[in-house]
Amino acid sequence: MKIGEMIAPRAAFGDALVELGGKDQEVVVFDSDVGTSTQTARFKGAYPDRFYQVGIAEQNMVAMAAGMSTLGFRPWVSTFAVFLAKRAADQVRVSIAYPKLNVKLNGAYGGIPTGKAGATHQSVEDIAVMRCMPHMTVVCPGDAYETEQAVYEANKFVGPLYLRTVRCPVPIIFDKNHLFEIGRAYTLHEGNQVTIISTGMMTPKALRAALELEKDGIKARLIHMPTIKPMDEEAIVKASKETGQIITIENHSRLGGLGGAVAEVLSEHAPCKLHRLGFPDCFGESGDNEAIFSKFGVNTECIISKAKEMIKC
Amino acid sequence: MPGCNNNSRLSAEEVQELKQICRYVRKMIINTVADAGCGHTGGSLSEVEILVGLYFRIMNIDPHNPSWQERDRFVLSKGHASPGYYSVLANRGYFYEGKLADFNAIDSMLQGHPCMVKTPGVDMSTGSLGQGLSAGIGMCLGRDKRGLDFKVYVLMGDGELQEGQIWEAAMYAGFHKLSGLIGIVDYNKVQLAGTVVETLDLEPLADKWKAFGWKVLECDGHDIGEVVDTIQKAKRMSESGPVVVIAKTIKGKGVSFMEGKFQWHAKAPSESERKLALEEIDSCVE
Ligand SMILES: Cc1ncc(C[n+]2csc(CCOP(=O)(O)OP(=O)(O)O)c2C)c(N)n1
């Protein structure tokens, strides 16, 4: 993976899972008939005896993985985020989160990019749902490189963890100097006039925004927040105190996700001006990913104009 | 006390011993729920013979080592019937009987619905109906991959069978001819707010399970000898695929004013009702 190369995080996830499976015999994978989309089919190809095809039965799949984890295995459950976090939400909650079982949940097709499938498949509330679940850790990597690292870290981590991946190619922004750790924020660009906090596939877009702003003489700090829970509160408080204003951006609803989480931290510990970029309280729709991001104001240009606007006033 | 994992038929004496335990468990249920002022009475009383049969005769377990890896597993998928479950676990020596007095109290290890993290002997957390059979299947998968050889028992309510997830799980286990999985239905004909027949009937129930690839056995769920024989038989038959035992029971069994009444699904007896209930259970010694 080279910086700037376009790679889909789901592909990196699929490959990482295969590699992980080679090193860790306790890893088993559960699929509900979407493995060729989520890329767990690669694991099936490599380790068919550790791949469980459950059929189109997400609720059964989630609780089955819970049962299997009680024997000490490390099950990875993978399906579209929209179904994992909502159709099977109660099974995740009662059968996995409550007893704190060691099951990893891959919410694939996170957010808007679903191959034009539209609102039924666009998961704009999975982070919110997973984030408020007790015992749940929520990870949302920025590119394919970080996704790969996150798979390893998630597997080492003991307890329920939700790993969100996206379908579309995303530019690589990280290289071997990046060490993903659960719960840590990463400052990717220094600045003191405004802070941009981004997560998931919005980070490459935010990085471009920070660099563009720099050309215009604006020093924007960029904080990448790959772990939504537990959140690196210190980085947020520091940004508030040092830059005085914050913009968040995410491939998710403005309600309850990164923006919501940051707002909670700020209002309690370091109030400052905050603008949340993300999906308004509405369903998505079919169309080119970038056209949708643009329609709902979730892209590089929106960060730039918002930052300029905030700095001016 | 009868031994564990005992495959022989019960002698008349053993039947009497188990009946004695069932009576004692019924009194514990009444006292636990009455002390707490809340809890699911009806479905606890209907499952007594099934649980006593499993824990005192059928299952291969060691109450002093509840996390022993080779033990048989039990999932109370109808998790609300925890007073019955806890009473049997306490009786079997998983924890001190006096703990039942804390049922549902703050900081108690005995939660309203079973919690595997808090209560020794509980193999799976349940309480949201419909999930236990899936968890049981997962345990079978883990067992097979580990090369272990235990059995997995899952007790479901009849009302609970209205949950779609049960049938997702049934389809999976049937299709894969999963061995060593024994489902038991506490077929007490009553659910939370009414009878099963008037709510959403299950019949033909045996045919439904058969259509999903399960072998089906039926028994009188309050005849301890028959319960034990049938589950033992199911256990043997489960070598070649999943088996379900449909146990015909009576909700509130043993206390005539509770029997068959949905009103006693989750109601605690008053002091006078407690007294009446205990007297009736005591008086039914043959
Ligand atoms: C998913 C879910 N929906 C609803 C409930 C509320 N509830 C608790 S017990 C019960 C009735 C269960 O009836 P049944 O399975 O027949 O149990 P039993 O009669 O053996 O007590 C209901 C609806 C629940 N616990 N879980």
Side-chain angles (χ1 to χ4, degrees), chain A residues 42-102:
Chain A
R42 300 180 189 198
F43 188 95
K44 180 189 178 185
Y47 307 106
D49 60 318
R50 281 190 275 146
F51 179 84
Y52 295 93
Q53 178 55 259
V54 175
I56 311 163
E58 295 77 12
Q59 305 172 48
N60 183 37
M61 170 169 70
V62 165
M64 271 174 62
M68 191 160 186
S69 77
T70 66
L71 270 289
F73 288 97
R74 282 183 273 286
W76 280 77
V77 173
S78 177
T79 183
F80 297 152
V82 79
F83 305 132
L84 186 53
K86 276 140 312 170
R87 193 185 195 106
D90 187 48
Q91 285 73 16
V92 168
R93 181 176 184 272
V94 176
S95 286
I96 292 177
Y98 178 44
K100 231 178 175 172
L101 291 174
N102 195 16

Side-chain angles (χ1 to χ4, degrees), chain A residues 26 49 60 90-91 95, chain B residues 128 131 134 145-146 165 168:
Chain A
E26 306 285 288
D49 60 318
N60 183 37
D90 187 48
Q91 285 73 16
S95 286
Chain B
S128 175
Q131 302 189 21
S134 307
K145 201 142 257 351
R146 286 256 180 269
Q165 189 185 345
E168 293 180 3

Side-chain angles (χ1 to χ4, degrees), chain A residues 90, chain B residues 40 42-44 46-47 78 80-81 113 127-131 156-163 186-193 196 249 251 265:
Chain A
D90 187 48
Chain B
H40 291 77
S44 288
S46 66
E47 72 188 2
K78 44 169 272 185
H80 57 276
H113 294 79
S128 175
L129 293 167
Q131 302 189 21
M156 295 162 276
D158 47 7
E160 183 184 12
L161 300 186
Q162 292 156 357
E163 283 285 357
D186 181 352
Y187 201 0
N188 63 27
K189 322 288 189 307
V190 179
Q191 43 194 102
L192 185 152
V196 174
T249 55
K251 195 145 171 168
H265 170 71

Side-chain angles (χ1 to χ4, degrees), chain A residues 137-140 146 149-150 153-154 156-157 161 177-186 224-230 232:
Chain A
T137 291
V138 180
V139 173
C140 195
E146 193 177 46
Q149 293 190 331
E153 290 306 307
K156 270 194 252 163
F157 176 84
L161 183 145
N177 296 315
H178 181 67
L179 273 184
F180 169 77
E181 279 171 40
I182 292 168
R184 198 185 136 189
Y186 296 83
H224 170 50
M225 197 66 81
T227 310
I228 309 281
K229 184 184 163 193
D232 189 340

